[in-house]
Amino acid sequence: MTADLRLVIFDVDGTLVDSQGDILAAMAEAFAAVDQTLPDRATLLGVVGLSLGVIFPRLCPHLGEDEHLRMEAAYREAYVALRTRTGAADSSPLYPGALAALTALQARDEVLLGVATGKSKRGLDKLIAGHNLEGLFVTQQVADFHPSKPHPSMLEQALAETGVSAERAVMVGDTRFDMEMARAAGIPGIGVSWGYHPRGALDAAHCVIDTYEALLPALDSLWGIPA
């Protein structure tokens, strides 16, 4: 265990980047693929953060496994096509202040950065490249290799890879699943209000912030670092 290091782990969709346009468009294609009525926007955004293999059985429990797999395939195909058409940086822009906060945290010698996302490795790699964030995140946990959030597997692996203890790590995310995952891993969670779940859904968070400018003060307060 590395005593002096701290680890800040970010969710991606709804926390670092706003990808809801592509998510909703890809969802429309997924439901059309099995001739099902598309749920409302709030319902669709309410499952963001879960892995795709969990999302469609949750949204369409009356369908069978074959239909769920067709929906997943249609979603992936549509999402890739949309991202290719406009580019990752434009289809999933960083939220205001995100890059400045990441840069400020990276400048702290004792802070490591990571991500824990329901995205695939391919999707995360494309996003990181599109925003020129290569080398920023020392641990990258994706849906390909873990159970869906809120299972703590992603965070446990991030701790194992970095050698940082749970009490010196923080999970930053916009969904109930992020905060519940953090709690299950024994990691404090900082919720963000600008994402896809309402503020009231983040009740497992240590605190909720409204702008990226509030992130570093929230971290310092959590870690007992004087202002």
Side-chain angles (χ1 to χ4, degrees):
M1 184 180 299
T2 307
D4 295 333
L5 291 177
R6 302 179 189 273
L7 175 62
V8 184
I9 307 165
F10 291 87
D11 170 57
V12 176
D13 295 311
T15 301
L16 286 175
V17 301
D18 186 3
S19 50
Q20 65 178 292
D22 285 355
I23 289 172
L24 295 174
M27 281 289 188
E29 294 297 323
F31 276 81
V34 292
D35 197 27
Q36 295 292 303
T37 301
L38 186 68
D40 60 49
R41 177 179 177 276
T43 298
L44 294 173
L45 292 181
V47 296
V48 173
L50 297 174
S51 300
L52 284 181
V54 173
I55 284 175
F56 295 116
R58 177 174 291 207
L59 290 175
C60 297
H62 57 289
L63 298 181
E65 182 179 1
D66 288 347
E67 287 87 355
H68 293 151
L69 290 174
R70 284 168 58 196
M71 296 178 80
E72 184 174 339
Y75 179 96
R76 291 186 187 279
E77 182 178 352
Y79 197 93
V80 169
L82 289 163
R83 184 183 62 208
T84 301
R85 187 180 309 153
T86 59
D90 289 332
S91 65
S92 298
L94 288 163
Y95 281 103
L99 183 58
L102 292 172
T103 301
L105 286 169
Q106 186 186 34
R108 295 187 176 190
D109 291 339
E110 77 280 10
V111 174
L112 302 176
L113 300 178
V115 293
T117 175
K119 283 184 174 298
S120 67
K121 185 179 187 304
R122 180 177 69 169
L124 180 62
D125 287 347
K126 291 287 188 181
L127 188 72
I128 287 175
H131 285 290
N132 299 312
L133 300 177
E134 293 94 338
L136 187 66
F137 303 109
V138 300
T139 179
Q140 300 175 20
Q141 307 305 322
V142 295
D144 307 59
F145 312 118
H146 296 280
S148 178
K149 299 175 183 181
H151 192 285
S153 174
M154 291 187 188
L155 298 185
E156 291 169 348
Q157 184 62 28
L159 296 177
E161 288 180 2
T162 59
V164 177
S165 62
E167 63 270 17
R168 297 178 74 85
V170 176
M171 175 69 202
V172 182
D174 70 304
T175 72
R176 176 187 300 277
F177 313 125
D178 295 318
M179 297 302 100
E180 291 177 350
M181 176 176 67
R183 182 167 59 185
I187 293 176
I190 293 179
V192 304
S193 67
W194 56 78
Y196 302 152
H197 284 196
R199 193 185 192 97
L202 307 177
D203 54 339
H206 173 80
C207 66
V208 178
I209 59 174
D210 297 316
T211 67
Y212 261 109
E213 287 72 21
L215 177 59
L216 270 67
L219 289 168
D220 288 343
S221 175
L222 181 62
W223 289 330
I225 299 174

